[in-house]
């Protein structure tokens, strides 16, 4: 595994924790100077909060750790392409580099639904997608397959 | 004053609290069934957090108050046009109606920089801008004028 894949593997293990809590499995880590400074996973259902996506929670944790809102020199790794909210938060936090796993055709803000990096903002991160693509896509498809199966079983009772 | 102006006046008074704490003065309220369920203002400098815009904090408060992430039937009032992050959060929280004051030519995601309502998302709010336009614009121009004056005085010392 190369460095990007190693950090993505860490994001995948966080996504698996989300799945165990019946959350859509998305995990994120933020790395600076070769060190993971923030880890988070999606908790939208558990915390009943619309903003609690993995990336947003990781950015908030990284701001706390670094004691400031500019995450200069940081790379954000996330298992799924960020949505508009999270891509906007990445701009607001001035994160210079984003690495994601699988694309999100419905909500992805880095080319799938629209591309925030093509809009003339004051900060545009470098974005790399498709890292550990198969594993990150399987995370989601396995989760939804399992969920459909459970729903079907419940209806049959 | 009509109803939208009354709630915008409340958002303005919150923005003034932000200015007193040397934050960029933006205030937001969320209204549901004729009642203000969340109030917030920008605290990015004080809390040193990139995501602490008025709208995001108000959405998080409204989720806590209502005990769920879908803010159905809510209207968000904010003194300045939302950025990409906040417009994305409005989608994620399924807020049906947004009313803002002055435009944000640099970051505004409802027509100034780009228009998130033109992107085929699963949820598109109704958006109305320009409510109490003069007062909401003056909030910001007064704040930045004062800040420039203070910076100049400090440099002269």
């Amino acid at each position: 595994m190369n460095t990007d894949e190693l950090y993505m593997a860490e994001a995948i293990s966080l996504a698996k924790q989300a799945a165990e809590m019946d959350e859509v499995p998305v995990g994120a880590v933020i790395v600076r100077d070769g060190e993971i400074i923030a880890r988070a996973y999606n908790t939208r259902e558990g915390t009943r909060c619309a903003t609690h996506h993995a990336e947003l929670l990781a950015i908030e944790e990284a701001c706390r750790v670094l004691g400031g809102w500019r995450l200069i020199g940081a790379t954000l790794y996330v298992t799924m392409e960020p949505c508009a909210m999270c891509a906007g938060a990445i701009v607001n936090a001035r994160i210079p580099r984003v690495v994601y796993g699988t694309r999100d055709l419905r909500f992805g803000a880095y080319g799938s639904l629209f591309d925030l990096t093509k809009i003339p903002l004051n900060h545009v991160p470098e974005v790399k997608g498709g890292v550990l693509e198969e594993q990150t896509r399987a995370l989601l498809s396995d989760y939804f397959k399992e969920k459909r199966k459970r729903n079907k079983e419940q209806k049959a009772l």
Side-chain angles (χ1 to χ4, degrees), chain A:
Chain A
M1 279 201 197
N2 62 33
T3 311
D4 281 347
E5 289 169 342
L6 278 168
Y7 290 126
M8 188 59 75
E10 185 67 24
I12 289 174
S13 79
L14 287 154
K16 285 179 181 167
Q17 291 182 48
E20 278 169 26
M21 304 179 81
D22 206 13
E23 301 277 356
V24 175
V26 182
V29 298
I30 296 179
V31 175
R32 198 173 176 242
D33 297 331
E35 198 191 334
I36 296 181
I37 59 167
R39 289 173 166 82
Y41 54 83
N42 172 41
T43 65
R44 185 179 68 170
E45 299 300 334
T47 54
R48 300 175 177 185
C49 185
T51 65
H52 284 185
H53 286 192
E55 303 94 306
L56 212 86
L57 294 171
I59 288 170
E60 292 179 352
E61 175 65 14
C63 290
R64 274 192 292 273
V65 168
L66 297 181
W69 58 263
R70 291 177 191 83
L71 304 181
I72 296 165
T75 298
L76 184 145
Y77 293 85
V78 57
T79 53
M80 186 168 71
E81 184 182 356
C83 73
M85 174 184 77
C86 293
I90 286 161
V91 173
N92 292 347
R94 311 283 190 269
I95 295 175
R97 186 164 181 261
V98 178
V99 179
Y100 71 83
T102 190
R103 294 179 68 184
D104 182 355
L105 298 178
R106 289 179 66 205
F107 303 107
Y110 288 145
S112 292
L113 181 68
F114 74 110
D115 192 345
L116 197 67
T117 68
K118 296 283 192 292
I119 288 162
L121 272 154
N122 60 328
H123 174 83
V124 179
E126 176 204 325
V127 177
K128 177 179 171 183
V131 171
L132 300 187
E133 215 283 324
E134 265 184 58
Q135 292 100 305
T136 51
R137 194 179 52 217
L139 261 176
L140 291 155
S141 55
D142 290 353
Y143 171 79
F144 286 112
K145 204 185 292 175
E146 180 63 29
K147 202 171 170 75
R148 276 192 299 271
K149 195 180 137 195
R150 263 185 296 153
N151 285 348
K152 219 170 164 182
E153 283 168 358
Q154 277 178 339
K155 274 185 194 160
L157 286 177

